[in-house]
Amino acid sequence: MTTTHRIGFITRGTQRATGSGANYYMAEQLRPIGAEMIELLIPPPPPSFAWRLARKLYRALGSYRGSTTWMLSRDYARAAARSLSPRLAASHLDLLFCALAGREMPAVRSAVPLVYCTDYTVPRVVELSAYPLFEGLPRQSVQVQMSLEADLVHRATLNLVPTEWIAQSLREHYDVPAERIRVVPWGANIDSGDVPRIEEVCRDSPGSVCSLLFLGVEWPRKGGDLAYETLQHLIRRGVPAELLVAGCQPPDGCAHEKMRVLGRLDKNDPAARRRISDLLRTSSFLLLPTRGDTFGHVFCEAGAYALPSITTRVGGVGEVVRDGENGMALPLTAGAEEYAETIAGLWFDHDTYRELSAGARRAFDERLNWDAWGREVRPMLSKILGRP
């Protein structure tokens, strides 16, 4: 008699717009394993009465840092555990799969094997100094978060991460044994059926206009000012450039006749997804000089459309965008002139551009798609479940 295993998929949400679609596609890729998938959503718990009281005191003393303090506290983790633990006990699970819920999961106690999937560690995001939630944290808060994270990654039977940059942090900061860490790159926020045919998107040249696509929801962190300055440098060089800004709103005063602002595009909306597809299909480069990213799903999406990426070698981005393969990743210290020089060189060198375009699609097909992630991860989970 065959027993159906039950996997508890623990996450903050499974919509396409949550976590750049990672949660959604992970859940989809795990379904073919043949086990029953139980989605266990963890809504962020509201601040406790004691915490609200403390917040008033901090405000009075002028040291209040906002709601982020609550989200990075032991009390927050305990509140999430109180919400989740009864549902775990009632679900009779054989495996827990925690997808990007590292702040909510540490206080949960269960004898069920745990697979923890994340693209960050606390030391890494503090090191980046780019994510608002972790920016300027007091040492005590960092230590609390590292203590919680250490407990979680050591309890995990398997830690699944998309970059060696994070795997190295698990080994060096937390002494997690190498055999309990696996590096499997993530993919694009695109359904397999919507990926265009390679012959439709591979480019022989960047086109008659150097169309730069800035696609991101955070103008400062994604390097919006640098992209804007790069546009100006390119125009001064005589390159017929334009900058298309999608996903965010530049600050007041940041305007140019060759810059078009398309606003936010919700990937839960089919019309918005089609608009993004058109932009990726018709642009010359994805220009995203990010100041800090742990992975970068948008580079995978660009690859699906054979669109070369011009970005920064920071965080995990350098493992996604490889120089000369699917784009160029410049040092964090590079300025707008260096970005403009790189783009102008590729603009006039059609042979190199053609190779980058083909390389971008090849990188997507071979390693930066969710089907590849699923093929590699499903056998790992089957082994933990004791299945052939």
Side-chain angles (χ1 to χ4, degrees), residues 53-349:
L53 221 58
R55 181 172 58 184
K56 290 181 180 179
L57 177 61
Y58 294 150
R59 277 178 170 163
L61 296 174
S63 59
Y64 175 62
R65 289 192 64 250
S67 62
T68 57
T69 308
W70 163 247
M71 295 178 69
L72 298 178
S73 68
R74 290 188 187 278
D75 288 344
Y76 178 87
R78 289 167 182 156
R82 286 194 297 271
S83 168
L84 180 62
S85 295
R87 288 183 285 156
L88 289 182
S91 298
H92 305 291
L93 301 169
D94 300 291
L95 177 68
L96 301 179
F97 188 97
C98 177
L100 289 92
R103 291 196 302 274
E104 291 78 13
M105 196 65 187
V108 174
R109 291 293 177 265
S110 173
V112 177
L114 168 67
V115 174
Y116 177 45
C117 191
T118 183
D119 64 340
Y120 80 93
T121 62
V122 173
R124 286 302 195 220
V125 290
V126 171
E127 169 190 312
L128 283 179
S129 300
Y131 287 87
L133 182 62
F134 291 89
E135 195 172 0
L137 275 182
R139 179 179 293 274
Q140 182 181 3
S141 296
V142 173
Q143 290 173 341
V144 167
Q145 278 298 292
M146 287 188 65
S147 173
L148 291 168
E149 188 169 62
D151 187 43
L152 177 59
V153 298
H154 278 285
R155 281 192 292 116
T157 304
L158 177 64
N159 292 279
L160 271 176
V161 297
T163 64
E164 175 58 31
W165 180 65
I166 294 301
Q168 182 184 35
S169 178
L170 290 174
R171 293 191 299 267
E172 294 182 357
H173 293 117
Y174 297 119
D175 293 322
V176 177
E179 62 269 20
R180 288 165 59 189
I181 304 169
R182 291 292 182 273
V183 178
V184 187
W186 291 353
N189 194 347
I190 305 172
D191 287 345
S192 298
D194 294 334
V195 175
R197 295 195 304 273
I198 189 169
E199 60 270 18
E200 295 176 349
V201 291
C202 277
R203 300 152 165 84
D204 288 328
S205 74
S208 58
V209 175
C210 184
S211 185
L212 309 171
L213 176 60
F214 181 89
L215 182 58
V217 297
E218 298 175 64
W219 177 267
R221 182 167 70 83
K222 300 294 185 177
D225 288 342
L226 196 51
Y228 176 69
E229 292 171 20
T230 300
L231 168 69
Q232 296 172 305
H233 279 286
L234 283 168
I235 291 172
R236 284 196 287 270
R237 283 172 172 264
V239 177
E242 67 174 1
L243 180 63
L244 308 176
V245 179
C248 64
Q249 184 69 38
D252 293 341
C254 185
H256 194 282
E257 62 178 354
K258 294 297 182 180
M259 182 173 82
R260 283 195 290 145
V261 180
L262 307 174
R264 290 190 176 274
L265 297 170
D266 183 359
K267 288 183 177 178
N268 292 314
D269 178 8
R273 292 203 301 275
R274 286 193 295 272
R275 180 64 172 132
I276 293 171
S277 174
D278 290 341
L279 290 169
L280 291 167
R281 189 186 297 268
T282 57
S283 298
S284 308
F285 298 94
L286 173 69
L287 174 59
L288 207 70
T290 176
R291 304 294 85 195
D293 260 303
T294 57
F295 182 73
H297 296 271
V298 68
F299 306 116
C300 308
E301 294 168 24
Y305 287 84
L307 180 65
S309 297
I310 310 297
T311 185
T312 317
R313 194 178 306 111
V314 64
V317 175
E319 295 180 48
V320 183
V321 179
R322 298 174 179 172
D323 279 352
E325 178 189 340
N326 54 342
M328 301 297 291
L330 279 63
L332 187 59
T333 54
E337 288 188 18
E338 291 162 276
Y339 276 92
E341 182 179 356
T342 299
I343 293 169
L346 295 171
W347 168 259
F348 291 113
D349 185 350

Side-chain angles (χ1 to χ4, degrees), residues 12-62:
R12 295 189 199 116
T14 54
Q15 289 189 313
R16 293 174 186 269
T18 303
S20 296
N23 300 344
Y24 172 83
Y25 287 102
M26 285 178 193
E28 291 300 302
Q29 287 296 328
L30 295 185
R31 295 187 198 284
I33 203 171
E36 184 179 354
M37 291 281 292
I38 312 296
E39 289 191 3
L40 297 164
L41 302 183
I42 311 180
S48 63
F49 174 75
W51 196 269
R52 291 197 302 271
L53 221 58
R55 181 172 58 184
K56 290 181 180 179
L57 177 61
Y58 294 150
R59 277 178 170 163
L61 296 174

